[in-house]
Amino acid sequence: MTRLEALAGRASRDERLSDDEVRELAAAARRDPGPVLAAAARVRDETCGPRITFSKKVFIPLTKLCRDACGYCTFAHPPRPGERAYLTLDEVLEIATAGEAAGCREALFTLGDKPERKWAAARQELDALGCGTTIEYLVAACRAVLDHTTLLPHVNPGSLTFEESVALRPVSVSQGTMLETLSERLLKRGMAHFGAPDKKPGVRLATLEAAGRARVPFTTGILIGIGETFDERIDALLAIRASHERHGHVQEVIVQNFRAKADTNMALHPEPSVDEMALQIAFARLIMASGVGIQAPPNLSPGEYGRYLSAGLSDWGGVSPVTPDHVNPERPWPKLDELQEVTEGHGFLLLQRLAAYPGYVGGPAALEQWVDGDLHARVLDQVDAEGLARPDEEWHSGVDVDPPAAGFRAIEAATEGAWRVPGRVVRSSITTTLDRAADGEELTEPEVALLFSARGAEAERLYAVADELRRATVGDEVTYVVNRNINYTNMCYFRCGFCAFSKGPKSLNLRGEPYLLTPEEVARRAQEAWDGGATEVCMQGGIHHSFTGDNYREYLLAVKRQVPEMHVHAFTALEVMQGAAASGVSVRDFLAELQEAGLATLPGTAAEILDDEIRAIICPDKINTDEWCDVHRVAHSLGLRSNATMMFGTVEGPRNWARHLTVVKELHKEIADHNGGLFEFVPLPFVHMAAPIYLKGKARRGPTFEEALKVHAVARVALHGNIDNIQVSWVKMGEEGAKLALQVGANDLGGTLMNENISRAAGADHGQELTADRMDALIRSIGRVPRRRTTLYGVPA
């Protein structure tokens, strides 16, 4: 093995090469670039999978005055008679609203560097605007966009001080300045940066450092072909890496090719070739940490930019359907259809992101660290669980709208085995994990988390494996229980942020009036359910401030006196702990009393997300993970059985989902010897519409439909060999959504319900009742066999 092959091999495994090793690799790659290109592509494939991202943006050129005079630039110009120095705020908003109407998520502010330091016209206009500097006016323009549109500003104002970066942070989700080069030579007369004081390498590096200190997601990059050497390009990339390793703030590195423009000092300067670009993209990929995006503008290499995908590129940057590239106006953006066609033609998916990369907005910790608190609500409303742009789909959990067409296509592709088509990108780690799952092996928590990131062909195979495991475990039957939900009170003194059902001193009192059913009314409803063919009543409610254990027992006794044969599935772990505490007895003793009064099984709700990092955000005063598990341990030791649920789509993400499934699996193993363990797992997509945590801007709009499907599929895979039954909530997913979930691992439709108030209170359109006849028809419509069951999956008498 040659030294080139050895270094490229280490880099392909995402190992960090030292600066000297990078330079050694660069020297060798100039003679033989093949190993470097292959290594970069492998790193990208293994870290990004099939995802190639872009940002749908609108370009706002706040001012084209600039104190710099770069030899290649046609964006900046001196003051012109009759022209304003700056766009007015009305002009800014006109551009922004046009972009918003076209589906853009990003408002890209690009402007000349500190023009007031050179041009009297700029100073005079700023003074008239009530601003002392261009940066001050940029802050006002960003604020106007935030106040009047849903766009998220990204600012590219050139060199910045720490104070300026801090000032821009509350009004922009990300900032950017191209480093371009570290070459001091280019500042000399006749060179590209002569007359451009803000292009001094020290000034650009100081901006990069300032953004890091300010905790700002930052875009930077290099401009190749302006007179720098190959070694200087490598030095610039290494300098970017060093800053990122100090601060963690570089979200993407742009590799931009110089294009000669008429009427500039560099009009006849040679342009870099596509091969040069590809090699530089590859080095950017190998030098930077794997979480940093590598971008090249597609409009600067029309007809050839697809080649960059073979060099490790992971992002196409901002593409506008509305405004031109004002920096390169002679180079129009590719149409999004063309960009998608080129990307998919190389085996990848084209996915939209926000101006800030997923790693900086994809979860509570990232948001807290990198995005100003006043922008959190805007970001949360636009992202999915991984921090990518939420797709424009009408479906939401609980809304009576059919799933997006992409969901149907994914199921069809999974059924037909389309993931096997050659050339479609699938990470080897995903392949290995799904191979192990298909062989019946138990997956680790990191492997489960990995599966939640599956997209495209990866997701199709996930669905296929999950469905095959379902078939092997429970066959083609789809089960359901005829039951009635009885929510005996909506009065509650807890303050769970996701709950729009409870009414009390700490709730927002969003829907309906407080109520408390008497035991007699509960018994009447149980009788009505029995007369309608139900075999189960499910009783849950808020934590009423006056309840003791006696109240819970009275409900049970009332039902059992009225309908002795009715199966009572009742009381969450929270209700059990509250009842025990209010009565001054242990959880064990209280559960024994409830069992004697007629309790048969416990619902696994109140689990939400069994990860205390998330519980501290969505239900801070509720029982913690260990307490929830302890109640179920005690219940099973007494002969009571229970199920488990997971409410997902608020602020948590794949890592938290994997943690939850692991907790559930380990609990099941621990209690399985008592009486069979947990009898089912039920994913519950968050219904956001009237939930306080969403209305306060502290949660996402529930899961996307793809996320909802993946949770059902991964649950089947992760719990295989332990919990056989995976239920889909037709209340949350809708009838058509439930059909698709039944084709990716689910085997149960839950209950007919007769009444369900909790989801309805949160804004769901579904929820009152799905009759047995409609259940049967739904199941048969997908070629499966309906079977009515008891609570514990037996056959009703």
Side-chain angles (χ1 to χ4, degrees):
M1 178 183 295
T2 66
R3 179 65 172 167
L4 169 62
E5 292 170 336
L7 289 172
R10 285 178 51 204
S12 73
R13 296 187 292 275
D14 202 23
E15 294 183 25
R16 184 189 187 279
L17 301 184
S18 70
D19 289 7
D20 288 343
E21 288 173 326
V22 168
R23 293 188 178 100
E24 183 182 356
L25 181 62
R30 296 182 71 178
R31 298 186 297 273
D32 181 11
V36 168
L37 294 170
R42 180 178 174 186
V43 170
R44 188 270 323 283
D45 289 352
E46 289 303 315
T47 54
C48 301
R51 309 157 186 232
I52 301 296
T53 52
F54 79 104
S55 176
K56 198 172 182 181
K57 72 180 181 185
V58 61
F59 197 130
I60 304 176
L62 190 63
T63 179
K64 293 187 176 182
L65 299 188
C66 184
R67 75 163 176 170
D68 297 320
C70 300
Y72 46 78
C73 181
T74 58
F75 174 77
H77 57 71
R80 293 171 177 169
E83 286 190 14
R84 293 183 59 90
Y86 296 86
L87 295 178
T88 66
L89 293 185
D90 285 343
E91 289 170 328
V92 167
L93 290 176
E94 183 179 357
I95 297 170
T97 52
E100 181 181 39
C104 297
R105 306 285 184 93
E106 173 186 344
L108 168 63
F109 282 92
T110 293
L111 51 151
D113 212 315
K114 297 178 173 54
E116 69 275 18
R117 296 188 180 182
K118 182 175 183 179
W119 303 110
R123 293 191 294 273
Q124 293 164 3
E125 196 163 311
L126 285 172
D127 185 60
L129 291 166
C131 297
T133 66
T134 297
I135 297 300
E136 189 177 339
Y137 186 54
L138 175 59
V139 170
C142 289
R143 174 59 62 195
V145 167
L146 289 170
D147 287 345
H148 296 282
T149 77
T150 59
L151 299 180
L152 293 167
H154 169 87
V155 296
N156 186 17
S159 59
L160 290 169
T161 65
F162 171 73
E163 292 75 17
E164 289 170 334
S165 188
V166 169
L168 286 164
R169 193 176 189 270
V171 294
S172 61
V173 292
S174 55
Q175 300 171 22
T177 296
M178 290 288 282
L179 175 59
E180 294 196 11
T181 181
L182 288 185
S183 176
E184 296 278 352
R185 293 181 302 100
L186 301 188
L187 295 165
K188 295 179 179 179
R189 184 176 296 277
M191 302 299 282
H193 288 157
F194 178 72
D198 296 294
K199 295 300 176 75
K200 293 178 180 178
V203 172
R204 305 307 255 195
L205 289 173
T207 297
L208 190 57
E209 286 295 298
R213 290 168 51 213
R215 313 307 289 166
V216 169
F218 202 73
T219 293
T220 189
I222 60 174
L223 179 58
I224 74 168
I226 58 172
E228 81 293 342
T229 67
F230 182 79
D231 290 341
E232 287 168 340
R233 298 172 190 170
I234 298 299
D235 289 342
L237 290 171
L238 290 172
I240 294 170
R241 179 174 76 172
S243 183
H244 179 66
E245 289 178 343
R246 283 189 290 273
H247 305 292
H249 64 308
V250 178
Q251 61 173 359
E252 68 177 342
V253 170
I254 301 172
V255 179
Q256 182 170 329
N257 48 320
F258 160 78
R259 299 306 303 254
K261 298 178 178 64
D263 300 322
T264 66
N265 293 338
M266 298 179 67
L268 301 179
H269 192 79
E271 299 176 342
S273 68
V274 173
D275 288 340
E276 281 184 88
M277 275 290 291
L279 184 57
Q280 210 59 65
I281 289 167
F283 269 103
R285 175 68 285 153
L286 297 181
I287 290 171
M288 299 307 301
S290 58
V292 176
I294 304 300
Q295 180 208 128
N299 60 312
L300 298 187
S301 302
E304 298 184 291
Y305 60 85
R307 289 179 58 187
Y308 299 157
L309 292 166
S310 300
L313 179 136
S314 61
D315 186 88
W316 292 122
V319 178
S320 179
V322 178
T323 50
D325 179 353
H326 288 278
V327 176
N328 300 280
E330 78 286 0
R331 304 285 176 179
W333 308 112
K335 301 293 185 183
L336 289 178
D337 288 347
E338 176 198 321
L339 194 64
Q340 181 172 348
E341 182 179 347
V342 169
T343 304
E344 292 183 353
H346 285 76
F348 297 92
L349 288 174
L350 184 64
L351 298 176
Q352 189 176 353
R353 59 168 174 83
L354 303 187
Y357 264 59
Y360 298 85
V361 296
L367 271 178
E368 185 65 30
Q369 182 175 7
W370 292 106
V371 178
D372 187 84
D374 288 345
L375 300 177
H376 285 188
R378 294 173 178 273
V379 171
L380 284 167
D381 204 41
Q382 296 191 41
V383 295
D384 66 13
E386 295 185 81
L388 287 164
R390 187 183 185 91
D392 293 322
E393 59 186 26
E394 295 183 9
W395 184 92
H396 294 93
S397 175
V399 175
D400 190 14
V401 172
D402 283 347
F408 293 94
R409 289 196 299 267
I411 301 303
E412 182 179 357
T415 303
E416 295 174 350
W419 76 85
R420 299 189 183 95
V421 173
R424 300 185 73 194
V425 175
V426 175
R427 285 167 285 178
S428 62
S429 55
I430 290 277
T431 297
T432 299
T433 300
L434 288 174
D435 285 347
R436 292 191 348 96
D439 290 341
E441 297 181 37
E442 189 169 293
L443 302 184
T444 65
E445 186 175 323
E447 287 176 317
V448 173
L450 175 69
L451 291 182
F452 283 119
S453 71
R455 301 264 183 163
E458 298 174 338
E460 292 164 15
R461 187 170 180 226
L462 166 64
Y463 299 154
V465 169
D467 199 47
E468 183 53 42
L469 290 176
R470 181 271 309 161
R471 186 177 294 107
T473 303
V474 295
D476 284 333
E477 285 187 341
V478 175
T479 49
Y480 64 90
V481 61
V482 179
N483 69 347
R484 181 173 196 170
N485 268 19
I486 303 176
N487 304 124
Y488 50 82
T489 184
N490 64 351
M491 300 174 71
C492 185
Y493 62 82
F494 280 80
R495 53 186 178 93
C496 301
F498 53 82
C499 182
F501 173 70
S502 68
K503 302 290 172 278
K506 295 180 181 177
S507 77
L508 293 183
N509 294 317
L510 294 165
R511 286 191 169 213
E513 295 297 323
Y515 70 84
L516 174 64
L517 301 183
T518 64
E520 292 76 19
E521 173 60 18
V522 169
R524 186 195 69 77
R525 295 187 184 194
Q527 181 67 61
E528 190 175 72
W530 182 262
D531 294 342
T535 57
E536 170 198 303
V537 291
C538 177
M539 295 196 302
Q540 300 176 84
I543 307 301
H544 196 281
H545 63 278
S546 68
F547 270 27
T548 68
D550 289 341
N551 297 91
Y552 297 104
R553 284 192 297 272
E554 286 171 8
Y555 283 133
L556 290 169
L557 291 168
V559 170
K560 296 303 283 187
R561 280 194 297 266
Q562 185 72 32
V563 192
E565 296 181 23
M566 182 70 80
H567 181 107
V568 183
H569 181 61
F571 310 138
T572 68
L574 178 62
E575 290 164 285
V576 170
M577 287 198 69
Q578 189 272 344
S583 299
V585 299
S586 69
V587 167
R588 174 175 291 277
D589 288 346
F590 184 52
L591 278 171
E593 292 174 10
L594 296 179
Q595 186 177 27
E596 184 177 356
L599 179 64
T601 52
L602 273 69
T605 41
E608 325 313 351
I609 292 291
L610 294 173
D611 185 333
D612 289 338
E613 172 190 341
I614 301 301
R615 298 181 79 81
I617 299 171
I618 65 173
C619 50
D621 58 350
K622 206 166 191 174
I623 56 176
N624 63 31
T625 297
D626 286 343
E627 290 169 331
W628 186 91
C629 290
D630 284 342
V631 169
H632 288 266
R633 288 188 187 98
V634 173
H636 283 258
S637 72
L638 292 172
L640 294 166
R641 293 192 68 185
S642 63
N643 63 11
T645 66
M646 181 175 83
M647 188 203 68
F648 62 100
T650 56
V651 300
E652 81 300 326
R655 179 175 60 85
N656 312 108
W657 299 339
R659 177 94 285 267
H660 182 104
L661 287 170
T662 300
V663 169
V664 167
K665 179 180 69 176
E666 295 305 318
L667 173 65
H668 172 84
K669 288 181 179 179
E670 186 180 342
I671 62 179
D673 289 342
H674 290 300
N675 54 4
L678 302 169
F679 60 84
E680 68 187 0
F681 179 75
V682 189
L684 298 171
F686 170 54
V687 178
H688 75 284
M689 286 78 78
I693 194 171
Y694 174 74
L695 296 176
K696 292 177 180 179
K698 296 181 178 180
R700 300 191 304 274
R701 282 184 273 166
T704 67
F705 187 75
E706 182 179 20
E707 288 167 350
L709 277 187
K710 282 195 287 191
V711 166
H712 289 83
V714 175
R716 168 61 67 188
V717 170
L719 300 175
H720 179 64
N722 292 285
I723 300 174
D724 289 344
N725 300 300
I726 307 298
Q727 183 184 121
V728 55
S729 169
W730 60 266
V731 175
K732 315 289 190 182
M733 295 288 287
E735 292 183 43
E736 293 301 318
K739 289 180 186 179
L740 296 183
L742 288 169
Q743 297 174 72
V744 298
N747 68 293
D748 184 78
L749 270 176
T752 56
L753 296 185
M754 296 188 189
N755 295 96
E756 199 283 338
N757 296 321
I758 294 174
S759 295
R760 299 278 291 184
D765 296 327
H766 318 289
Q768 288 301 290
E769 184 174 20
L770 190 64
T771 65
D773 286 345
R774 287 174 63 192
M775 288 270 197
D776 288 346
L778 184 157
I779 294 164
R780 290 194 178 99
S781 73
I782 59 171
R784 301 271 277 282
V785 180
R787 179 175 75 82
R788 181 174 166 181
R789 63 169 173 87
T790 64
T791 304
L792 293 174
Y793 286 79
V795 178

